Amino acid sequence: SFVAYSIIKRNNPLLKLLYAGERWIYKKADKLIFTMEGGSEYITDKKWDKEHGGPIDLNKVHHINNGVDLEWFEYNKNHYVLEDEDLENNNFYKIVYTGSLRQANDSILKLLEVAKLFKTDGYEDIKFLIYGKGDEKEKIEKRCKDENLTNIKIKGHVDKKYIPYILSCCDLNILNCSSWSVLKYGGSQNKLFEYLASGNPTISGEDSKYSIINNNNCGISRRFETTEDLKKAILEIKNLDNDSKQGLKENVFRTAQDYDYTNLTNKLINIMESCDTKHEKDSSLSSTY
């Protein structure tokens, strides 16, 4: 992540030390659990696996994503209702984004641009609802006002307990509009799983073969080179016939269940129990010898 976000240069001696520490930890661990699906590929790319002469046995590498508490989500959706005329207005196709409000956030910049495209092209039935906080919220609001972007509303910060209700009232979720190199091995952003729990499709700029969205047919996840590309992706989902939309929602709901904390906890328990079994065998062999 430090390298991907240019926090540390690749030739920095500190980075070499961090990599050495990372490799040592992986070597000493009984089990490795990555929240990104491509953890094994990451290790082989580093040539830290035994096949490349490294010390790490890929058989001990596992994957458990972040997830969502579906019971909590349903409870909050039904008990914490946010009065908002935009959420209650079913005359619009509502696209929601939750996240930081900073001009440096490329996702926000692209949403502003795509909202401008829709307005210019006469789409009166599409509205963007932006929830989040950031130090440049006022500047973003001013830009919307100056450019007369009436189809995008900056809602600001809301308490997390209202998020399930907000997401359930919208038609499409936007995760991030930029392709990040760190997502090569898969992503595990917490809000993705809240998006899935809403039962609505998601559009993301994640460009990875490990995309949960693409691999479970929960929306569209690909690199958007231009705002026109993002606009086309939104229309691609918006213009689906009713049967296709319903099928998409069913895929989303099924996928959310896979990432419910109950299922993820069971996966963790199984990994831990297999680790205990290994130690019991090792202990038995030691006592035998």
Side-chain angles (χ1 to χ4, degrees):
S1 295
F2 289 150
V3 175
Y5 297 122
S6 300
I7 297 170
I8 297 179
K9 298 293 184 182
R10 192 173 289 276
N11 60 354
N12 190 314
L14 175 60
L15 185 66
K16 294 180 180 179
L17 182 63
L18 290 173
Y19 275 133
E22 181 184 11
R23 182 178 182 271
W24 182 85
I25 290 170
Y26 293 169
K27 173 186 174 181
K28 292 295 184 180
D30 293 305
K31 298 288 181 181
L32 292 174
I33 301 175
F34 287 89
T35 56
M36 56 188 190
E37 188 177 351
S40 292
E41 184 182 353
Y42 171 75
I43 289 174
T44 56
D45 282 353
K46 294 292 179 191
K47 295 183 170 44
W48 292 346
D49 59 307
K50 289 189 173 182
E51 188 174 333
H52 287 92
I56 300 169
D57 182 358
L58 292 181
N59 289 321
K60 70 178 183 180
V61 178
H62 301 271
H63 158 244
I64 299 178
N65 267 89
N66 288 323
V68 63
D69 185 334
L70 289 178
E71 185 176 347
W72 167 88
F73 190 94
E74 283 298 308
Y75 179 88
N76 283 2
K77 182 180 77 174
N78 295 322
H79 287 80
Y80 296 104
V81 174
L82 187 68
E83 293 186 9
D84 185 313
E85 61 181 8
D86 290 313
L87 288 175
E88 296 164 2
N89 191 338
N90 292 322
N91 293 321
F92 292 100
Y93 186 80
K94 289 164 282 190
I95 302 169
V96 66
Y97 172 90
T98 61
S100 61
L101 300 181
R102 295 179 175 87
Q103 286 267 354
N105 184 336
D106 193 43
S107 293
I108 287 293
L109 298 179
K110 280 191 174 176
L111 284 183
L112 294 177
E113 292 298 326
V114 80
K116 186 190 297 187
L117 279 179
F118 277 120
K119 185 173 178 61
T120 301
D121 292 346
Y123 287 90
E124 302 291 340
D125 61 338
I126 294 176
K127 185 166 287 190
F128 294 85
L129 305 178
I130 312 298
Y131 293 87
K133 61 181 179 179
D135 53 9
E136 299 205 17
K137 174 177 174 288
E138 291 182 3
K139 288 184 180 180
I140 294 170
E141 288 177 323
K142 184 177 184 303
R143 178 175 168 183
C144 289
K145 183 177 180 180
D146 291 346
E147 298 180 22
N148 195 29
L149 299 178
T150 55
N151 57 347
I152 186 166
K153 295 289 185 74
I154 309 300
K155 297 291 185 176
H157 174 72
V158 294
D159 193 288
K160 190 174 178 62
K161 66 186 180 184
Y162 292 110
I163 293 296
Y165 176 75
I166 291 169
L167 295 178
S168 68
C169 291
C170 295
D171 300 290
L172 178 64
N173 305 308
I174 297 286
L175 183 59
N176 62 280
C177 309
S178 307
S179 180
W180 304 337
S181 60
V182 75
L183 295 177
K184 172 185 176 182
Y185 303 106
S188 193
Q189 295 164 279
N190 284 320
K191 62 184 168 186
L192 167 60
F193 304 100
E194 291 181 343
Y195 283 179
L196 293 174
S198 75
N200 295 319
T202 296
I203 284 180
S204 169
E206 178 187 351
D207 184 21
S208 169
K209 64 183 178 183
Y210 298 110
S211 167
I212 292 172
I213 296 169
N214 286 344
N215 293 340
N216 293 280
N217 193 19
C218 294
I220 296 173
S221 184
R222 63 178 182 237
R223 183 186 295 272
F224 300 115
E225 299 292 351
T226 66
T227 49
E228 185 65 36
D229 292 337
L230 179 57
K231 174 190 167 188
K232 288 177 180 177
I234 291 171
L235 291 176
E236 192 175 328
I237 292 180
K238 179 182 182 295
N239 294 334
L240 289 172
D241 59 66
N242 289 334
D243 286 345
S244 297
K245 284 181 180 177
Q246 184 58 36
L248 192 55
K249 289 176 73 70
E250 289 172 2
N251 290 338
V252 174
F253 182 70
R254 258 194 316 271
T255 303
Q257 291 177 314
D258 290 339
Y259 294 99
D260 180 44
Y261 282 146
T262 302
N263 289 328
L264 299 183
T265 302
N266 287 333
K267 288 180 70 174
L268 179 58
I269 290 171
N270 289 336
I271 292 170
M272 293 170 68
E273 286 179 344
S274 69
C275 194
D276 289 340
T277 302
K278 174 183 178 295
H279 281 302
E280 288 173 6
K281 287 180 178 178
D282 290 346
S283 177
S284 176
L285 284 171
S286 296
S287 62
T288 300
Y289 289 109

